[in-house]
Structures are given as structure tokens and as C-alpha cells.
Amino acid sequence: MRILVVGGSGLIGTHVVGVLRGRGHTVTTVARTAQPGVDHLLDLGSAAIDDLRPLLAGHDGVVLATRADEQRVLPRPIHPLLRRELVDPVVRLFTAAREEGLTRGVVMGSYYTHFDRLHPQWRLTTRHSYIRCRWEQAREGRAAAGPDLPVTVLELPFVFGRTGDRLPNWAGPLDRWARSRAPLAVPVGGTAAASARSVAEVAVDALEQARGEDVPVADENLTWAAMMGRIADAVGRPRRVGRLPAPVVRASLGCGGLLHGLARREAGLNPTHLGDLLLADLFITPTTGRSLEPALRATFAPTA
């Protein structure tokens, strides 16, 4: 197959490119900034359908390997701003892909949509604009692609790994915290986690099979305490991880939501309701069975 990878120089995109080439497929890469190995420069956020069609011509499939920061705080209302970033470019991309006759696609999504399906009583799409936009991205992207271009949405948790200087956007604060002398205390609950390499393997499987499904991805399920403990070990500062009482977690996040409201700003994940997620076990089954440890240690390397 010949595959176009949008975001091909990023953490996940680089691994997707490597797995595709390792399986004998031909790859074209697109990114916003010039990097070694990038074939075309393009900002998907501003690209029109007519800009995308020449890049997609002659390809069998396309992978959208870019990811968004759900915790950014933006002026209210945040939903239209997130739609312009998460939904509209995907609609244009898959409209162009359909018009060029592509037969398969993959989008890197979020595991929050998986939990919204499992737990509709949590009302995630009404409480969190980021999760609502992830649903809209999948639904409207598939509608634009049409029935002959199945689009697989990988529902991704915390993704660990390193590609050059590219790290997960959430890694920096946890790295600094783990290296500091501050005590480590986290909520009860936990999260699924995966390596960038595992995500790439699942993405290429989906392309080869033209699956067109929602696919949650996880290598391991970790409590927050276990995750922070392993991060502290990885950076060379092992110590005990304490547990924060649930009322403390909810109260502190509620104060954050109040401050956002006073400043007429919003986060993609509403802090007023974020405590419910942090205190839950956001676990995915089945897992891949692959060890997360090599990717975790690559993400949080010890100080030289």
C-alpha cells in the first residue's frame, strides 16, 4: 500500500512511518514544520480540500497522527475553537481522500469516547467540550469519507515514548514533579497507558485490514500511584506515593473551574467535573500484553 501520514514527524507519526516501512509499504509524510524525513509541509488546520487532494492523489490510505492538548485553557466559548482544530480539518481531509479514491484511513482519537460509550451516565460529552469534539470528529470525519473509505479511530490513553526531542505533551510537568523534592500524592483511580510503538502497530493493522472501527488501545492499566511510582523510579528519585482524599481532589479542581469562570475562560476538560474522571479506573480491556516499561523509561530518562 501507499500511505500518507499527516503528522509524520511527531511522536506517534514517526512510529507509524517506521512500522509501515518495516512491513513493506510506501509512505509519504506531511508535517507543519521542516524535519528530516518530512516530504511535504502543510498546516492541516488551514489547508483547503484543494490543497489536500494533490497530496492524497495516488495513495491507498491516510493516517492522521496529530494529537491535541485537551487541557489548554481558551476564551469562552471553547467548543467552536476546538471544533476548528479537531473537527473541521478532519472533515476536509477525508472529503479530499474520498474524492481521490482512497480506501482506508486512521485517526488518532481519545479514550474518553470509549468511556463515554461504556458510561453514558457520566455525561462526558455534555460536561467536556474536548470529548464532545472527539465524538464529532469521528462522526463527521466518517460521514465525509463515505461508505467506501472506512475510517478507524484509535481511542488512545496516555501514550509513552520518545522520538528525538518529541515527548508526550503531558510528560514535562510529571517529569519535573518526579525529579523534585516535593512529596508525591495522587488521587485514587487510574488510567490505561500505551507505548507509541504499540499505537503504531495497531494503526498499521487497521490500515491493512481496512477496519473502520473504534479501537481502544492499551498496553497496561495503571493506578495513578503505580504510574507515578514508576516515573519516580525511572528518573532516579524513587519514593513513596501517597493518596489524596477524594473530597480534596474535587474541591481543588472545583476551585480551578471557578477561577476559569471568573476569567471567562474554559479548558477542554472541565475541571469542575474532572475529579470524577481522575477518581475512576479508566482501564481498557483487553490490553495488548506488551510491556510499557521500555517506553516509560524512554519518556522519563534518569539525569546524566
Side-chain angles (χ1 to χ4, degrees), residues 24-110:
H25 301 298
T26 301
V27 182
T28 307
T29 58
V30 176
R32 286 184 297 180
T33 57
Q35 299 279 347
V38 173
D39 299 310
H40 302 282
L41 298 182
L42 182 78
D43 183 353
L44 185 65
S46 59
I49 292 171
D50 288 343
D51 299 322
L52 295 164
R53 289 190 63 174
L55 297 177
L56 291 158
H59 289 83
D60 301 293
V62 59
V63 178
L64 179 58
T66 59
R67 296 200 73 191
D69 181 2
E70 64 268 24
Q71 277 302 319
R72 283 187 309 149
V73 179
L74 299 170
R76 288 194 315 203
I78 195 174
H79 178 254
L81 301 175
L82 289 180
R83 269 196 63 91
R84 286 199 291 272
E85 178 181 326
L86 291 171
V87 183
D88 297 344
V90 173
V91 170
R92 295 193 297 268
L93 176 66
F94 283 103
T95 298
R98 184 196 71 234
E99 293 175 354
E100 290 299 325
L102 276 67
T103 59
R104 60 206 68 210
V106 170
V107 173
M108 303 302 165
S110 167

Side-chain angles (χ1 to χ4, degrees), residues 209-276:
Q209 299 162 18
R211 291 179 66 175
E213 301 170 353
D214 296 316
V215 181
V217 182
D219 290 333
E220 296 185 32
N221 292 310
L222 303 170
T223 64
W224 297 118
M227 189 172 92
M228 277 308 305
R230 287 171 68 174
I231 291 171
D233 287 346
V235 303
R237 290 272 298 143
R239 57 201 189 274
R240 178 181 173 275
V241 180
R243 301 295 181 94
L244 291 170
V248 172
V249 174
R250 289 196 170 95
S252 61
L253 289 169
C255 289
L258 178 62
L259 291 174
H260 288 173
L262 293 172
R264 301 188 61 80
R265 297 175 70 81
E266 290 183 68
L269 295 179
N270 185 344
T272 301
H273 301 290
L274 186 56
D276 295 334

Side-chain angles (χ1 to χ4, degrees), residues 193-215:
S195 73
R197 177 72 183 194
S198 285
V199 172
E201 295 278 0
V202 175
V204 176
D205 288 345
L207 286 170
E208 291 176 339
Q209 299 162 18
R211 291 179 66 175
E213 301 170 353
D214 296 316
V215 181

Side-chain angles (χ1 to χ4, degrees), residues 11-20 23 63 67 106-108 152-163 192-209 211 215-221 284 286-296 299:
L11 173 63
I12 294 174
T14 300
H15 284 274
V16 171
V17 170
V19 173
L20 282 166
R23 296 191 191 181
V63 178
R67 296 200 73 191
V106 170
V107 173
M108 303 302 165
T152 298
V153 177
L154 301 191
E155 297 175 313
L156 303 184
F158 281 72
V159 176
F160 289 77
R162 178 189 296 266
T163 300
S195 73
R197 177 72 183 194
S198 285
V199 172
E201 295 278 0
V202 175
V204 176
D205 288 345
L207 286 170
E208 291 176 339
Q209 299 162 18
R211 291 179 66 175
V215 181
V217 182
D219 290 333
E220 296 185 32
N221 292 310
I284 290 172
T287 63
T288 66
R290 301 184 182 102
S291 173
L292 185 68
E293 194 64 19
L296 188 149
T299 308

